Amino acid sequence: MLISTQEDINMNQSQVMQLIRDTVLHYMNIGNSMFENKVRSIDIKFDLKGSNAGLALTNLHSNNHVIRLNAELMEKNLTQYINEVIPHEVAHIFAESNNPLKFKKVAGHGNFWKLIMKAFGIANPTRCHDMIVEQPMRKVVTKYSASCECKIHTITSHRRTKMINGTNYCCTLCNTRLKLV
């Protein structure tokens, strides 16, 4: 189910969501035709953050499967999501659900996963995506000071708040209680 970049232009959010669901179903149908252990459903969540494009979660006991997708990355790279990320994550679910090693954990991107990806029509499956990820601005960490008998220590705002609320900390050198400066 490959799409070209022309198809993902001018799609509204509900059309994109439907395309994602249809793509997951497409690869589920292929996987279910290959294996005895059927995958009945896969929940899709758009709550992944950071540089990860997708994440597959399987619970073999309850047969609950979830694919978490990075909505921000998907918005900018829909074609790559449809053609690579979704089959990649669905293949993880089928590899885990139909593990030929039974009591051993299947290698995440090993030969069995690659075999499933090739059955999905992905000739050269890769472990990582090559999408451009905007790095978020680093949070500025405010440092505070606390003193003991031997020196002045730098502490975080979290530790400062805990000290204000009554938690005591001791210096590891002189073993005296730290006091806020």
Side-chain angles (χ1 to χ4, degrees):
M1 177 160 192
L2 299 176
I3 66 165
S4 68
T5 51
Q6 292 302 314
E7 289 182 44
D8 58 37
I9 296 172
N10 298 326
M11 293 181 82
N12 65 35
Q13 189 174 3
S14 66
Q15 290 171 318
V16 170
M17 298 302 165
Q18 188 59 50
L19 179 60
I20 298 295
R21 284 190 294 275
D22 291 346
T23 305
V24 169
L25 282 173
H26 171 75
Y27 289 108
M28 275 178 58
N29 289 335
I30 295 171
N32 282 331
S33 70
M34 293 170 55
F35 297 107
E36 225 174 275
N37 290 338
K38 306 297 183 202
V39 171
R40 290 183 197 91
S41 68
I42 298 174
D43 292 329
I44 306 164
K45 294 184 178 180
F46 300 92
D47 61 349
L48 204 56
K49 302 284 184 210
S51 62
N52 288 354
L55 179 69
L57 303 169
T58 59
N59 184 333
L60 301 179
H61 300 292
S62 64
N63 202 20
N64 288 339
H65 309 289
V66 177
I67 292 177
R68 294 179 60 202
L69 299 173
N70 185 325
E72 189 177 321
L73 263 180
M74 186 182 69
E75 186 178 310
K76 297 172 185 159
N77 303 280
L78 183 58
T79 302
Q80 199 165 355
Y81 261 78
I82 299 300
N83 297 340
E84 298 171 27
V85 175
I86 291 175
H88 178 117
E89 302 308 331
V90 174
H92 278 303
I93 290 171
F94 276 97
E96 199 64 40
S97 300
N98 295 279
N99 182 358
L101 303 174
K102 297 295 179 214
F103 299 108
K104 281 186 160 183
K105 185 163 173 46
V106 69
H109 299 100
N111 290 333
F112 190 49
W113 174 81
K114 287 177 185 171
L115 178 79
I116 296 167
M117 287 290 284
K118 287 181 180 173
F120 285 174
I122 311 299
N124 298 310
T126 57
R127 185 180 154 268
C128 297
H129 67 79
D130 60 359
M131 294 177 250
I132 296 170
V133 179
E134 292 178 19
Q135 294 299 322
M137 289 182 55
R138 290 191 172 252
K139 184 178 175 184
V140 177
V141 179
T142 306
K143 297 289 186 174
Y144 296 92
S145 298
S147 64
C148 65
E149 290 181 5
C150 70
K151 68 183 232 178
I152 294 179
H153 300 267
T154 303
I155 60 171
T156 63
S157 59
H158 180 74
R159 182 157 286 191
R160 177 181 177 267
T161 302
K162 289 183 83 169
M163 288 175 73
I164 289 169
N165 292 331
T167 302
N168 293 318
Y169 292 98
C170 292
C171 173
T172 56
L173 300 173
C174 68
N175 207 27
T176 59
R177 195 174 123 203
L178 294 179
K179 295 178 186 168
L180 293 173
V181 176

